Amino acid sequence: MNTISAVGIDVGKSGGFAWKIGDVVGCQKMPPTDSEILILLRELEDVALDSGLPKPEVFLEKVGGFVGTPQTGHSMFNFGRGYGFLIGAIMAFRLRLSLVRPQQWQKDIGAGTKGERTTTQWKNHLRDIACRLYPNQKITLSVSDAFLILESGLLRTEGKERS
């Protein structure tokens, strides 16, 4: 039996969750409501505990006040509220939480840098890496970063990086 119990979360409405709990690997795009996020976190915790594993460690993308393109104040407020809600929910469930900067998880999984690529090319590059790492999963743009955040967390937990 695999003893891994971890969740990767890419924050934001277009983000998602990816998990590896024992031998169970799965994903879901970001639930649309706070209550659905709570339900998902409870279900992931229950899968681990029912399998005799510890509660999952959550690897959450650490974000700042800038999300790549200029946003309205309203959009940024909602993004920050959602980010804070996730942290609060994770803490309320007493799950281990590790915040991972995008530059760090991208380095850990060997993604290189965006360089001259367009945002679309970069996102597709990241999705392709996630597809190689998790070939039995349906990887969409909504969950690809979550899988890579999860992978980074697993690598850091194991104390090694991909080259």
Side-chain angles (χ1 to χ4, degrees), residues 26-96:
C27 63
Q28 178 179 323
K29 69 183 205 173
M30 185 62 67
T33 67
D34 292 346
S35 60
E36 290 173 279
I37 289 170
L38 293 174
I39 290 167
L40 178 57
L41 286 170
R42 173 66 71 203
E43 288 173 349
L44 294 172
E45 179 184 48
D46 288 347
V47 168
L49 296 176
D50 290 348
S51 300
L53 297 170
K55 290 182 176 188
E57 180 168 2
V58 178
F59 299 97
L60 180 70
E61 184 172 46
K62 183 177 183 179
V63 297
F66 182 71
V67 292
T69 58
Q71 303 289 318
T72 65
H74 177 69
S75 294
M76 290 306 299
F77 179 84
N78 285 335
F79 182 77
R81 194 209 65 75
Y83 181 64
F85 176 82
L86 281 167
I87 291 174
I90 292 162
M91 299 306 292
F93 280 104
R94 297 183 178 184
L95 303 174
R96 292 168 293 155

Side-chain angles (χ1 to χ4, degrees), residues 108-146:
D108 290 345
I109 56 105
T113 61
K114 181 179 176 188
E116 299 293 318
R117 298 176 195 156
T118 66
T119 298
T120 300
Q121 290 170 330
W122 177 243
K123 290 306 234 174
N124 286 333
H125 170 68
L126 294 173
R127 187 191 63 218
D128 291 346
I129 294 170
C131 288
R132 284 194 301 276
L133 290 170
Y134 295 92
N136 297 324
Q137 297 298 308
K138 180 177 166 70
I139 308 286
T140 64
L141 289 174
S142 294
V143 298
S144 61
D145 285 4

Side-chain angles (χ1 to χ4, degrees), residues 5-23:
S5 183
V7 178
I9 304 176
D10 175 21
V11 301
K13 278 197 273 188
S14 61
F17 283 66
W19 56 85
K20 187 168 187 176
I21 300 174
D23 295 322

Side-chain angles (χ1 to χ4, degrees), residues 100-112 148-149 151-156 160-163:
V100 186
R101 292 181 12 250
Q103 300 88 339
Q104 187 61 59
W105 65 256
Q106 291 165 11
K107 178 183 176 197
D108 290 345
I109 56 105
L148 299 177
I149 293 164
E151 184 69 12
S152 167
L154 294 174
L155 289 169
R156 294 180 147 273
K160 58 185 176 181
E161 292 182 9
R162 290 188 188 277
S163 47

